């Protein structure tokens, strides 16, 4: 394995490749075991619980939450430091954030705004966890989630889309939208570099690359209650029908426009008798 501060060697890269794609069953097995122990939020690597009765087991067996990165447990943080590196892997990425957050913060005041964001984080974390995604990070007024084959399976694109839909629907059900939180989301699928990145004390398990950048852009372009899905992700998920339309958008730095399926998630709650346009309409 590569030593700290050195470039990842072929063995490290092969190790990460096997782990990320599911060829190495060890991580899947550990997550399956921890998954039986309540409850979320969990370590985004091994799924050890940070809440409920399971938090005591995490504290004893994994050292509890890492102090420098509370989204992972101390055991996984130590392992990431030992095996710094990563590999390119197919995955899907979800970004979701609040529209007009600056104006909302000014209108509501710090305490109320923080309370609303906390409720949004809870809704997002639950939707991502239910779809077998990894909550990568909180982004002030947004979230980023990864759907990697070893955890989400080969249908990671479908799971990312499901998480985006559930997040937006749950925000409505819990009256977050009426309270002023207007949320948009974006999903993209492709190849990204995933692994342990950062400095010794700020190491994180995350992903980088064009796939992540495009997903972030889609998340920022989505309107309130809207889910923008690149047609690559849409086709990968074998999605069909359901209140979508297709449009072309410009992504900064890309020479050609990107085709996306624009889903108004609130419209999906319409009575069954209404005929939605096909996602291929307008192509």
């Amino acid at each position: 394995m590569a030593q700290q501060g050195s470039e990842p060697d072929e063995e490290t890269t092969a190790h990460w490749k096997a782990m990320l794609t599911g060829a190495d069953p060890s991580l899947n097995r550990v997550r399956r075991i921890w998954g039986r122990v309540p409850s979320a939020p969990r370590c985004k690597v091994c799924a050890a619980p940070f809440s409920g009765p399971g938090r005591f087991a995490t504290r004893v067996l994994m050292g509890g939450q890492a102090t420098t990165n509370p989204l992972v447990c101390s055991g996984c943080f130590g392992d990431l430091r030992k095996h710094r590196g990563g590999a390119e892997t197919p995955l899907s990425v979800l970004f979701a954030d609040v529209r007009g957050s600056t104006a909302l913060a000014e209108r509501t005041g710090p305490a109320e705004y923080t309370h609303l964001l906390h409720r949004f984080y809870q809704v997002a974390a639950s939707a991502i966890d239910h779809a077998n995604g990894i909550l990568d990070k909180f982004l002030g007024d947004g979230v980023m989630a990864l759907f990697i084959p070893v955890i989400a399976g080969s249908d990671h694109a479908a799971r990312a889309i499901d998480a985006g839909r559930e997040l937006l629907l749950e925000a409505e059900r819990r009256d977050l939208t009426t309270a002023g939180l207007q949320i948009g989301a974006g999903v993209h699928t492709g190849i990204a570099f995933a692994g342990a990145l950062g400095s010794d004390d700020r190491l994180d398990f995350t992903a980088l690359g064009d796939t992540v950048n495009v997903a972030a852009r889609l998340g920022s372009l989505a309107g309130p209650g809207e889910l923008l899905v690149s047609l690559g992700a849409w086709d990968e998920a074998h999605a069909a029908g359901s209140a979508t339309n297709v449009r072309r958008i410009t992504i900064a730095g890309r020479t050609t426009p990107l085709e996306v399926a624009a889903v108004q998630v609130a419209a999906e709650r319409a009575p069954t008798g209404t005929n939605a346009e096909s996602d291929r309409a307008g192509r």
Side-chain angles (χ1 to χ4, degrees):
M1 294 295 177
Q3 298 299 313
Q4 293 184 21
S6 64
E7 292 294 324
D9 56 25
E10 291 185 4
E11 183 183 354
T12 298
T13 300
H15 165 78
W16 276 100
K17 188 74 173 179
M19 184 181 75
L20 293 168
T21 59
D24 179 356
S26 58
L27 178 59
N28 224 8
R29 183 168 59 250
V30 169
R31 287 185 63 89
R32 198 161 50 242
I33 292 171
W34 277 120
R36 300 191 185 104
V37 183
S39 59
R42 299 175 179 273
C43 169
K44 69 178 181 179
V45 177
C46 73
F50 294 148
S51 183
R55 71 183 185 277
F56 299 109
T58 299
R59 191 177 304 162
V60 172
L61 299 176
M62 308 300 290
Q65 287 177 274
T67 55
T68 56
N69 187 343
L71 294 180
V72 298
C73 69
S74 295
C76 285
F77 184 80
D79 191 59
L80 292 178
R81 293 184 67 180
K82 291 178 185 176
H83 305 123
R84 188 184 310 173
E88 292 187 351
T89 185
L91 51 72
S92 295
V93 186
L94 165 69
F95 274 85
D97 59 22
V98 178
R99 307 285 92 103
S101 58
T102 301
L104 177 63
E106 181 182 14
R107 187 169 67 252
T108 59
E112 178 61 20
Y113 179 65
T114 301
H115 176 66
L116 287 172
L117 281 184
H118 180 66
R119 291 175 62 195
F120 163 58
Y121 292 154
Q122 289 180 316
V123 166
S126 177
I128 292 163
D129 184 62
H130 288 164
N132 288 343
I134 296 174
L135 177 59
D136 184 274
K137 54 179 65 73
F138 296 114
L139 302 165
D141 60 355
V143 295
M144 169 184 170
L146 304 176
F147 295 80
I148 299 174
V150 68
I151 299 168
S154 60
D155 58 344
H156 51 84
R159 291 185 179 276
I161 293 171
D162 287 346
R165 280 183 165 133
E166 181 61 25
L167 188 160
L168 295 175
L169 285 173
E170 193 62 21
E172 275 201 12
R173 295 189 193 107
R174 298 197 185 188
D175 295 325
L176 292 183
T177 54
T178 56
L181 283 186
Q182 301 299 322
I183 303 163
V187 171
H188 186 48
T189 294
I191 303 295
F193 183 90
L197 305 170
S199 62
D200 282 346
D201 59 345
R202 293 291 177 183
L203 206 60
D204 193 14
F205 176 72
T206 189
L208 297 172
D210 180 65
T211 298
V212 179
N213 295 340
V214 171
R217 185 61 176 152
L218 295 182
S220 67
L221 289 173
E226 183 176 57
L227 175 65
L228 293 183
V229 183
S230 66
L231 286 194
W234 193 262
D235 291 339
E236 183 78 18
H238 307 294
S242 72
T244 65
N245 58 72
V246 174
R247 64 177 185 252
R248 293 186 176 189
I249 62 173
T250 300
I251 301 291
R254 285 189 157 228
T255 57
T256 58
L258 181 71
E259 286 190 315
V260 300
V263 184
Q264 279 294 337
V265 174
E268 295 183 339
R269 303 177 67 180
T272 308
T274 60
N275 292 322
E277 290 184 355
S278 167
D279 63 290
R280 293 294 182 256
R283 288 188 66 181

